[in-house]
Amino acid sequence: MIDTYNHERFIEEAIQSVLSQDFPASEREILVVDDGSTDRTPEILRKFASQIRMLRKPNGGQASAFNHGIPECRGELITFLDADDWWAPDN
């Protein structure tokens, strides 16, 4: 799960870092919770529409974004990534 709020400068790199992991796409879900961004973040997220699920909520802070997203996750394991961070390859 990736939480984001006005991270237009970083969100694409964060998503790409998850997509580049050595993990089968069929077993992966990328859920991005947009915490009410007012910049171009939603527009950038739409470029990944076929590879991510996006939830949008009114701004309430990082904890509220995670609390909003966790019940929506479908997998057994949930990992968290902030939108202004990225995962190194093969992690």
Side-chain angles (χ1 to χ4, degrees):
M1 179 174 15
I2 302 173
D3 68 299
T4 186
Y5 174 71
N6 288 345
H7 286 118
E8 69 182 1
R9 290 182 25 209
F10 309 107
I11 188 65
E12 190 164 354
E13 183 178 14
I15 293 170
Q16 289 290 2
S17 78
V18 176
L19 292 172
S20 69
Q21 296 301 305
D22 185 20
F23 196 81
S26 62
E27 297 180 33
R28 169 185 67 215
E29 173 187 43
I30 302 172
L31 179 62
V32 180
V33 181
D34 183 355
D35 192 34
S37 293
T38 58
D39 64 0
R40 291 182 48 250
T41 297
E43 176 185 332
I44 294 166
L45 293 176
R46 283 191 288 279
K47 295 188 330 187
F48 295 95
S50 66
Q51 298 167 299
I52 68 171
R53 278 194 338 154
M54 186 177 86
L55 300 177
R56 185 161 168 85
K57 61 176 278 313
N59 183 255
Q62 184 180 42
S64 73
F66 285 144
N67 288 337
H68 186 76
I70 289 170
E72 298 294 325
C73 292
R74 298 174 181 153
E76 279 185 50
L77 301 173
I78 302 171
T79 59
F80 300 95
L81 178 64
D82 294 334
D84 61 350
D85 205 351
W86 53 272
W87 287 342
D90 302 318
N91 279 331

